[in-house]
Amino acid sequence: MGSTQVCLLMLFFSVLGVILEVTLGNTSDDSHWLLRIKSELVDPLGVLGNWSPGDDICTWNGLTCSDDQTYIVGLNLSSSGLSGPLSPDLSRITSLQMIDLSANSLTGSIPPDFGQLQNLRQLLLYSNSLSGKIPEEIGLLKKLQVLRIGDNMLTGQVTPNIGNLIELRVLGLAYCQLNGSIPTEIGNLKHLQSLDLQKNSFGGLIPQEISGCMELQNFAASNNRLEGGIPASLGKLESLQILNLANNSLSGSIPIELGHLSELKYLNLLGNRFNGEIPSELNQLSHLEKLDLSRNNLSGTINLFNTELKNLEVLVLSENFLTGDIPKFICVRDSYLWQLLLAQNKFSGNFPLELLNCTSLQELDLSGNNLKGELPPSLDKLVNLTDLLLNNNSFIGTLPPEIGNLSALETLYLFDNMITGQMPTEIGKLQRLSILYLYDNQMSGSLPRELTNCSSLTEIDFFGNQFTGSIPPTIGKLKSLSFLQLRQNDLSGPIPPSLGYCRKLQRLVLGDNKLSGSLPPTFKFLSELLLISLYNNSLEGPLPESLFLLKNLRIINFSHNMFSGRIFPLLGSDSLSLLDLTNNSFSGSIPSRLSMSKNLTRIRLAHNLLNGDFPSEFGQLKQLNFLDLSFNSFTGELPPELSNCTNLSHLLLNSNQFFGMIPAWLGSFQELGELDLSTNNFNGTVPPELGKCSRLLKLSIHSNRLFGDIPQEMGNLTTLNVLNLQRNNLSGPIPPTLQQCKKLYELRLSYNFLTGPIPPELGSLTELQVILDLSENRLSGGIPQSLGNLVKLERLNLSFNELHGEVPHSLGKLTSLHMLNLSNNHLQGQLPLSFSGFPLSSFSGNDKLCGPPLASCAKSSGLQKKWMSNTAVAGIIVAIVFTATVVCSVLLYIMVRMWFNWRMVSISSSENNKLEHKREEEKWVYGDHEIRTGEYWDVNNMALVPAQQRESPTTTCIFHLKMSTESSKNSFA
Amino acid sequence: MEAFTCFLSFILPILLSPTLTISTNYEGNALHALRSRLSDPNHVLQSWDATLVNSCTWFHVTCDSNNHVIRLDLGNSNISGSLGPELGQLKHLQYLELYHNNIGGKLPKELGKLKSLVSMDLYGNRFQGKIPKSFANLKSLRFLRLNDNKLSGSIPRELTTLSNLKVFDVSNNDLCGTIPVDGPFGSFSMESFENNRLNGPELKGLVPYDFGC
């Protein structure tokens, strides 16, 4: 029995051995599975070419066999261009210890069957296109030491089973779409050295348990959504060399325990919400090389000392709320610090002189602080400096000549300071200088010719200084220059022809200077030019024809110069988006070529001498939103093609000689905010379709030959601020629908033939402010009481109509009114008391008005009665005459002579008033306060006694009052 | 804000065209800063393109012939948010029309720098806090309408020096103290002060100015 038992036992073990051998791997079976895997893969590079059934599997490309060639231990096909699914069949080759399929284009999910690969020590699947979740079965791979599956499209949470992989050294899950929180089980991974979770969507807290990973050297979890504070337990990770938690939502203060991480070389917490002070315990990190705490809410002063942090190479604390002086010992002699970025904090004080000992510095950024004082001349001690950024501070004084000694300098930002004085000629020594931004300072003097020795310059921006003199004629030496901005200085003289040799120039901005002369023909060489802006200079003459060679131009702004001739040379490009030639002396017609630039959004040609018809080709410019052709001599009708430009927001065609009808299709311009067709020869009627322009803010069609009614549909323009229809031949009533234009602050309908009453509805336009001008029409009826609601109205002109009745006393409530003209109507009765401050001329030409400033009503009515009975009047006059002495009659004679003189003055001045009227109003709106001393209107000038009153004699006032109203009536007629 | 301006002045010249005036176009800057403080559901500020040389072609902004902003018309525009100190940079502004909106917060004292201002219409908003004393510097001001807000504190006595002031309306606020009687205040009707916690006209020499406030 015993022997049979032994035999059975032996049999059992031998069977077990066979079975074990099968599970460990059988190369013939393996080849079967591998060939199946091969058949599923796309292999454009042919790396699987020698995988053929006849050959020894151990010679197959990418496979590694065990020493005795009996089973497969490794599969390495990284960067082999493979695509297709990651096959579950791979799990059949259980002998595999290492799989590296990284950097291919494998798709599908990680098969759960991989959990069978019990011998696997390394699984490298990073940089593929794998998707789906990480299978829970991954936790079965007890021997796994390296798991790198990042840079895929993996989603979902990380299984807590990951904590079972107790042999794990490297866990790489970066650059996926993983979410959920970091599993606390991660703390079980006692041998973990590298944990990379960057660029996922991990949220929640950093698990305190991470302190269990006692051997951790690299912990990178940047660019996630981690919240809460850094657990103090992190300080126990004594082997940690790299800690990168940048760009999360971590908050609280930086734990002082981080000071215990004595091996730390790299600490990056940028882009979180850490607050409080920077703990001085960080000074204990003597191995630290890179420290970035930028873009947090850190406050207080800097307590970091280069004397402790001896190995520091990079220190970035930008974009916090740090205060105080920049500390003396932030960078010391013999330091390794080459990058010191402290931008956009609240540092104050002067430029820290101690910093100048830190000769290792290559990049120094102190921009956006409150630093003041002068730039130290000994700045040149920083001999290795390549980037010096001191912009947006309050530095004063001059740019020290020693700057020329910084021979490595590539970038110099000094913009937005208060630097004064001249630019040192020594700047020309900076042979590597590429970017020089000095804008928004108060530098003066001329631009030194030496500047053009800086042969590496690519960008110059000096705008907003007070540089004088001319642009250096040698500027053409700057062969690399792509951007030159000298806008808003006092530069004069011509544009140097050599500028045309800066062939790399893309953007040239010389606006707001005093440059003169013409454009040099050498500009034809600027073939890369995208933008040329020369506005507000005194440049003149015709444009060189050769400018037509500039095919890449997108933005041209030559406005406010004295250029003349044709605009054709500017139209070589088909890429124009903005063309502004406002206020020059360009002549001729608009070339149809302009419409080749289909991306044009703004065309501004106002105030030139252009003529000809409106180019119908503009209809192709679908992007056009701003078209200003005003103040030229264009003629003809508006072409129907223009109706395609439905994006127009500004259409300004005023002061030309356009004629024909105002087209009804303007009503389809739904973006239109300002339409100005005034001062042309348009005739016909006002199209009711204009009422469809629902965004219209300003509508000016005055001074044309329009006739017919004002359409009711104007009332649909509910956003309208300004409506000006004056000086046409419009007739019919004022449509009461205008009351719907509740946002009107300016309404002018004067100089038309409007009839009927003033609609009482106008009284609901309570935002009317600048003016309500209905003068010079044929309006009849009374002044509606409702106009008394226009409490913001500053000017009201109802003169020269046929208005009857009394002036409603409600008008007395118009407390904002300071110009009033009711003259030359048929008004009667007593004026509201508050009108006493207005001049007589506001009411003249109304026979029966009374009350201050006119004669008091009692007296006036008495006079009228006497006027009725001629005999009584005659009797009184006779009585006066007869009771007067000879001297008195002589006096009367003198008075009459005086009146004749005055009448001549009165006629001429009232005519002037009429002519100057419009201009006067405009000037008033534009803030020319002096103009408001015009006697015709202003209330405040009553104290100065207007001309008419000054002349009125005291003894014969009854006569003169009557005669003066008559005379003024004559003069207006 | 500092960060934003810095960002603009730094990035825009690089990214966009340099026709933009960001740093020295103080008026455009000020308006752009205003826009950044306002919420604008009706998109009335859509045309406020910061890349343009000046802001004169923006809707609701009116300039004079020298391209200085003289009018800002945003009444009844359904905007909310608050005003900032930048508005004080609009040195040529004559009309500030922000009436009937939902703008809240305090009235920036910097509004007192608007030397050319003729009319300040802020009525019908949610402004709170005090009427800044700096308004007494608005020597050109003729119309000051602050009615229908939530303003508190007293009417600054300094405003009596505004000799051009013709209209002053603070009705429907939460103001307290006495009503000045000097200067232009002698001619304002009582309606301009109603619905406050005001104690009536100041009795000169007898009652302290801020009595009961």
Side-chain angles (χ1 to χ4, degrees):
Chain A
M1 277 299 280
S3 62
T4 51
Q5 276 179 335
V6 170
C7 280
L8 275 172
L9 204 63
M10 282 177 69
L11 185 64
F12 172 74
F13 273 113
S14 60
V15 169
L16 191 69
V18 169
I19 291 168
L20 270 176
E21 191 160 329
V22 169
T23 54
L24 259 176
N26 176 315
T27 54
S28 62
D29 276 0
D30 290 349
S31 69
H32 165 73
W33 295 118
L34 285 168
L35 288 169
R36 255 182 75 157
I37 293 167
K38 176 186 173 181
S39 69
E40 290 173 22
L41 290 174
V42 180
D43 175 24
L45 304 179
V47 291
L48 307 178
N50 69 351
W51 285 25
S52 57
D55 294 337
D56 176 10
I57 195 168
C58 294
T59 66
W60 289 11
N61 186 29
L63 290 182
T64 313
C65 289
S66 57
D67 292 344
D68 58 2
Q69 305 287 304
T70 52
Y71 53 96
I72 303 170
V73 293
L75 171 63
N76 183 350
L77 290 170
S78 73
S79 305
S80 299
L82 297 172
S83 58
L86 181 59
S87 171
D89 294 338
L90 204 54
S91 61
R92 306 287 186 162
I93 309 168
T94 50
S95 59
L96 276 171
Q97 295 173 15
M98 193 276 282
I99 297 175
D100 185 356
L101 294 172
S102 62
N104 285 292
S105 304
L106 300 175
T107 51
S109 55
I110 301 174
D113 317 50
F114 273 27
Q116 298 167 26
L117 295 165
Q118 288 296 310
N119 294 300
L120 205 60
R121 286 168 176 78
Q122 296 189 33
L123 178 57
L124 311 176
L125 301 175
Y126 60 88
S127 299
N128 278 290
S129 302
L130 300 172
S131 55
K133 291 187 170 187
I134 302 172
E136 279 183 40
E137 290 77 3
I138 206 106
L140 302 173
L141 304 174
K142 293 278 171 17
K143 293 182 183 168
L144 203 60
Q145 295 180 356
V146 178
L147 176 59
R148 296 183 61 190
I149 53 177
D151 193 16
N152 279 295
M153 296 181 291
L154 300 172
T155 53
Q157 305 197 1
V158 176
T159 168
N161 293 351
I162 207 106
N164 300 340
L165 305 176
I166 52 171
E167 293 298 325
L168 209 58
R169 264 66 171 173
V170 177
L171 177 56
L173 302 176
Y175 294 91
C176 287
Q177 294 152 29
L178 300 168
N179 56 31
S181 48
I182 303 172
T184 55
E185 290 78 3
I186 213 113
N188 301 341
L189 307 177
K190 306 281 181 221
H191 301 295
L192 196 65
Q193 293 168 359
S194 174
L195 175 59
D196 191 352
L197 307 175
Q198 298 183 81
K199 205 91 170 89
N200 278 289
S201 301
F202 288 116
L205 304 175
I206 299 174
Q208 210 168 339
E209 291 79 0
I210 197 145
S211 58
C213 309
M214 292 302 291
E215 294 177 19
L216 201 60
Q217 295 172 12
N218 170 20
F219 178 29
S222 64
N223 294 293
N224 279 291
R225 296 170 189 168
L226 298 171
E227 297 171 336
I230 297 179
S233 61
L234 208 67
K236 294 179 187 164
L237 300 174
E238 287 175 359
S239 307
L240 206 60
Q241 295 176 11
I242 295 174
L243 178 57
N244 185 356
L245 301 175
N247 293 321
N248 279 289
S249 302
L250 297 167
S251 55
S253 54
I254 299 174
I256 54 173
E257 287 81 1
L258 291 190
H260 302 154
L261 301 172
S262 54
E263 298 294 321
L264 206 61
K265 289 180 177 173
Y266 180 102
L267 176 55
N268 189 349
L269 303 179
L270 91 88
N272 280 288
R273 297 170 194 166
F274 290 113
N275 54 28
E277 298 200 3
I278 301 171
S280 59
E281 285 77 4
L282 293 189
N283 284 311
Q284 299 163 20
L285 303 174
S286 57
H287 289 101
L288 202 61
E289 293 168 4
K290 295 184 180 172
L291 176 58
D292 191 340
L293 305 178
S294 59
R295 284 203 263 137
N296 278 290
N297 301 326
L298 298 169
S299 55
T301 54
I302 303 184
N303 289 315
L304 298 175
F305 304 110
N306 196 198
T307 40
E308 316 261 336
L309 299 166
K310 285 194 170 59
N311 287 302
L312 205 58
E313 295 172 14
V314 172
L315 178 57
V316 187
L317 303 176
S318 302
E319 295 179 65
N320 279 292
F321 301 103
L322 299 167
T323 50
D325 289 351
I326 293 173
K328 287 181 183 181
F329 301 110
I330 197 158
C331 187
V332 295
R333 200 184 298 270
D334 303 323
S335 167
Y336 296 113
L337 198 65
W338 64 270
Q339 192 177 45
L340 179 58
L341 312 182
L342 305 177
Q344 295 185 53
N345 278 288
K346 294 171 185 284
F347 293 119
S348 52
N350 291 342
F351 188 97
L353 290 177
E354 295 79 4
L355 211 54
L356 300 176
N357 298 324
C358 190
T359 52
S360 56
L361 271 182
Q362 293 173 30
E363 295 178 18
L364 177 60
D365 186 355
L366 303 178
S367 64
N369 281 293
N370 302 324
L371 300 173
K372 57 185 175 55
E374 300 196 5
L375 299 177
S378 48
L379 203 60
D380 60 348
K381 286 164 76 179
L382 299 173
V383 286
N384 292 308
L385 219 50
T386 60
D387 298 85
L388 178 58
L389 283 62
L390 303 176
N391 52 288
N392 291 89
N393 278 291
S394 302
F395 288 118
I396 55 168
T398 57
L399 182 57
E402 288 80 0
I403 196 93
N405 299 334
L406 295 174
S407 56
L409 204 60
E410 292 169 11
T411 305
L412 179 57
Y413 285 0
L414 289 176
F415 56 88
D416 279 310
N417 277 291
M418 293 180 279
I419 309 275
T420 51
Q422 303 210 345
M423 185 179 308
T425 56
E426 287 80 358
I427 201 135
K429 297 198 289 184
L430 298 174
Q431 290 298 303
R432 293 190 183 174
L433 192 63
S434 169
I435 302 178
L436 179 57
Y437 284 176
L438 303 179
Y439 60 83
D440 261 333
N441 278 291
Q442 292 151 29
M443 298 182 73
S444 54
S446 57
L447 298 176
R449 187 178 281 238
E450 287 79 359
L451 180 67
T452 62
N453 295 337
C454 302
S455 54
S456 302
L457 272 173
T458 59
E459 297 186 20
I460 292 178
D461 195 340
F462 295 168
F463 98 76
N465 279 285
Q466 290 140 30
F467 287 118
T468 52
S470 52
I471 300 172
T474 51
I475 189 127
K477 287 161 71 182
L478 301 176
K479 299 290 182 212
S480 306
L481 201 62
S482 73
F483 173 46
L484 176 62
Q485 171 149 255
L486 304 175
R487 175 166 65 97
Q488 239 176 304
N489 278 285
D490 288 316
L491 297 170
S492 54
I495 298 176
S498 82
L499 187 56
Y501 300 110
C502 300
R503 289 170 188 246
K504 291 273 159 68
L505 206 57
Q506 295 189 335
R507 291 175 294 155
L508 175 62
V509 188
L510 305 177
D512 263 331
N513 278 292
K514 294 170 183 160
L515 299 170
S516 55
S518 54
L519 271 196
T522 51
F523 269 33
K524 67 181 173 199
F525 299 123
L526 299 175
S527 57
E528 295 190 24
L529 204 59
L530 300 173
L531 183 158
I532 179 165
S533 182
L534 307 175
Y535 66 92
N536 256 3
N537 279 291
S538 300
L539 298 164
E540 62 187 5
L543 304 173
E545 292 292 326
S546 55
L547 284 188
F548 194 78
L549 297 171
L550 305 183
K551 301 288 184 195
N552 289 310
L553 277 172
R554 291 181 193 166
I555 295 178
I556 299 174
N557 189 345
F558 286 4
S559 60
H560 305 288
N561 278 288
M562 299 181 289
F563 286 116
S564 57
R566 313 250 152 189
I567 64 176
F568 190 77
L570 290 175
L571 307 182
S573 164
D574 295 343
S575 315
L576 282 179
S577 67
L578 188 153
L579 177 64
D580 190 346
L581 307 178
T582 306
N583 199 8
N584 279 282
S585 300
F586 285 109
S587 56
S589 56
I590 300 178
S592 59
R593 210 201 127 74
L594 181 57
S595 53
M596 299 294 282
S597 291
K598 297 283 181 282
N599 292 325
L600 266 167
T601 58
R602 291 170 81 89
I603 300 176
R604 304 188 67 183
L605 304 175
H607 291 280
N608 277 288
L609 308 171
L610 297 166
N611 56 31
D613 285 353
F614 194 109
S616 58
E617 293 84 358
F618 275 15
Q620 299 164 28
L621 303 175
K622 301 276 196 307
Q623 309 291 319
L624 200 61
N625 73 49
F626 198 112
L627 179 59
D628 186 357
L629 304 181
S630 60
F631 295 96
N632 279 288
S633 302
F634 291 113
T635 183
E637 303 193 24
L638 299 187
E641 290 84 354
L642 185 62
S643 62
N644 295 326
C645 302
T646 50
N647 282 314
L648 276 172
S649 66
H650 291 76
L651 180 57
L652 313 176
L653 305 178
N654 47 306
S655 298
N656 280 288
Q657 285 136 39
F658 289 116
F659 56 79
M661 307 274 281
I662 294 180
W665 44 255
L666 285 173
S668 64
F669 288 3
Q670 286 305 297
E671 303 297 321
L672 203 59
E674 185 169 1
L675 176 62
D676 197 339
L677 304 177
S678 62
T679 322
N680 277 290
N681 297 321
F682 286 110
N683 54 26
T685 56
V686 180
E689 288 81 0
L690 284 184
K692 295 180 187 165
C693 298
S694 57
R695 295 190 175 181
L696 208 53
L697 299 171
K698 293 188 179 176
L699 176 57
S700 294
I701 47 181
H702 66 85
S703 307
N704 279 291
R705 297 172 183 172
L706 303 170
F707 55 82
D709 286 0
I710 299 175
Q712 302 268 335
E713 288 80 357
M714 290 288 119
N716 298 337
L717 300 172
T718 52
T719 56
L720 207 59
N721 290 146
V722 177
L723 177 59
N724 190 343
L725 304 178
Q726 69 188 14
R727 292 179 195 270
N728 279 292
N729 301 322
L730 299 170
S731 56
I734 299 173
T737 53
L738 283 185
Q739 69 165 319
Q740 299 158 31
C741 306
K742 287 277 188 280
K743 293 188 173 181
L744 274 178
Y745 64 74
E746 181 175 336
L747 177 57
R748 296 175 194 261
L749 305 176
S750 62
Y751 290 94
N752 279 294
F753 300 106
L754 300 173
T755 51
I758 298 173
E761 289 85 353
L762 292 189
S764 64
L765 298 174
T766 50
E767 301 305 341
L768 273 177
Q769 183 180 39
V770 173
I771 194 167
L772 172 58
D773 188 355
L774 306 178
S775 65
E776 304 274 0
N777 278 292
R778 293 171 182 173
L779 299 169
S780 54
I783 299 175
Q785 193 151 5
S786 61
L787 294 192
N789 298 331
L790 306 178
V791 290
K792 287 178 75 175
L793 195 63
E794 297 175 21
R795 293 183 294 179
L796 175 62
N797 192 350
L798 304 177
S799 65
F800 289 97
N801 277 293
E802 291 157 19
L803 299 171
H804 284 82
E806 297 198 355
V807 178
H809 280 253
S810 61
L811 293 198
K813 294 187 297 182
L814 299 177
T815 47
S816 304
L817 210 58
H818 59 95
M819 288 187 188
L820 174 67
N821 194 352
L822 303 178
S823 68
N824 298 290
N825 280 290
H826 308 301
L827 300 167
Q828 61 184 42
Q830 182 158 19
L831 290 172
L833 278 177
S834 56
F835 281 6
S836 62
F838 290 105
L840 287 172
S841 53
S842 293
F843 311 104
S844 61
N846 289 288
D847 297 347
K848 300 170 186 172
L849 280 176
C850 62
L854 304 176
S856 82
C857 286
K859 221 173 180 179
S860 169
S861 61
L863 178 69
Q864 278 168 11
K865 278 172 192 166
K866 283 167 193 167
W867 207 243
M868 299 292 192
S869 52
N870 260 339
T871 51
V873 174
I876 288 172
I877 291 173
V878 166
I880 290 168
V881 168
F882 278 96
T883 51
T885 61
V886 176
V887 181
C888 189
S889 62
V890 169
L891 249 174
L892 194 64
Y893 173 72
I894 293 166
M895 291 296 180
V896 170
R897 284 297 298 265
M898 278 174 69
W899 169 69
F900 266 109
N901 284 339
W902 171 82
R903 194 175 73 155
M904 288 169 75
V905 174
S906 165
I907 290 169
S908 62
S909 79
S910 64
E911 275 174 359
N912 277 347
N913 273 334
K914 275 175 79 175
L915 287 172
E916 294 293 316
H917 184 189
K918 184 170 178 287
R919 197 180 304 166
E920 185 184 309
E921 282 173 1
E922 277 177 6
K923 280 186 181 171
W924 191 84
V925 170
Y926 290 159
D928 192 342
H929 286 266
E930 285 167 28
I931 206 74
R932 284 192 287 133
T933 54
E935 294 163 344
Y936 187 57
W937 285 106
D938 202 298
V939 185
N940 288 348
N941 279 337
M942 285 305 289
L944 297 174
V945 187
Q948 292 164 343
Q949 281 193 328
R950 205 181 304 135
E951 291 294 322
S952 64
T954 46
T955 49
T956 53
C957 65
I958 301 170
F959 259 124
H960 267 135
L961 189 63
K962 197 250 165 184
M963 286 191 282
S964 71
T965 40
E966 269 192 346
S967 73
S968 68
K969 203 170 187 178
N970 289 336
S971 69
F972 283 126
Chain B
M1 197 51 242
E2 241 177 61
F4 180 66
T5 325
C6 181
F7 173 77
L8 276 184
S9 56
F10 186 84
I11 290 297
L12 281 178
I14 299 165
L15 287 184
L16 297 165
S17 70
T19 38
L20 353 160
T21 334
I22 290 306
S23 307
T24 35
N25 176 15
Y26 59 93
E27 292 182 330
N29 267 355
L31 291 174
H32 204 263
L34 171 68
R35 183 188 184 175
S36 68
R37 291 172 187 277
L38 296 175
S39 149
D40 173 28
N42 295 1
H43 307 292
V44 295
L45 307 179
Q46 207 167 22
S47 67
W48 288 23
D49 178 355
T51 64
L52 297 172
V53 175
N54 63 49
S55 31
C56 296
T57 59
W58 295 358
F59 286 133
H60 310 287
V61 174
T62 308
C63 291
D64 63 8
S65 52
N66 296 319
N67 283 336
H68 289 301
V69 176
I70 55 164
R71 281 194 78 105
L72 186 56
D73 286 288
L74 292 170
N76 276 317
S77 297
N78 196 19
I79 48 179
S80 54
S82 61
L83 305 183
E86 312 83 15
L87 271 185
Q89 291 166 23
L90 300 173
K91 301 273 185 245
H92 301 267
L93 193 69
Q94 295 175 20
Y95 287 82
L96 178 60
E97 305 292 322
L98 303 177
Y99 54 87
H100 289 315
N101 283 297
N102 296 311
I103 309 173
K106 291 186 172 177
L107 299 176
K109 63 174 187 298
E110 289 79 3
L111 288 179
K113 293 183 187 170
L114 302 172
K115 298 271 187 244
S116 311
L117 202 66
V118 172
S119 171
M120 190 194 297
D121 285 325
L122 306 180
Y123 55 92
N125 278 290
R126 296 177 182 179
F127 289 111
Q128 44 186 295
K130 294 185 172 181
I131 301 173
K133 288 177 182 171
S134 63
F135 282 12
N137 299 325
L138 300 167
K139 295 302 177 200
S140 310
L141 197 67
R142 301 171 70 100
F143 311 106
L144 178 56
R145 303 185 182 95
L146 304 175
N147 45 299
D148 297 278
N149 279 293
K150 297 173 180 172
L151 296 169
S152 55
S154 56
I155 299 171
R157 202 199 180 93
E158 290 82 353
L159 297 186
T160 58
T161 62
L162 292 173
S163 54
N164 286 319
L165 200 60
K166 242 185 136 203
V167 173
F168 179 82
D169 194 343
V170 290
S171 58
N172 301 307
N173 277 291
D174 195 25
L175 298 169
C176 56
T178 51
I179 299 170
V181 294
D182 294 332
F185 281 79
S187 56
F188 300 141
S189 78
M190 275 303 125
E191 289 171 7
S192 304
F193 303 98
E194 64 192 16
N195 284 325
N196 281 288
R197 295 188 290 118
L198 292 162
N199 287 327
E202 165 187 26
L203 299 170
K204 292 194 78 177
L206 294 174
V207 184
Y209 173 65
D210 55 354
F211 177 76
C213 194

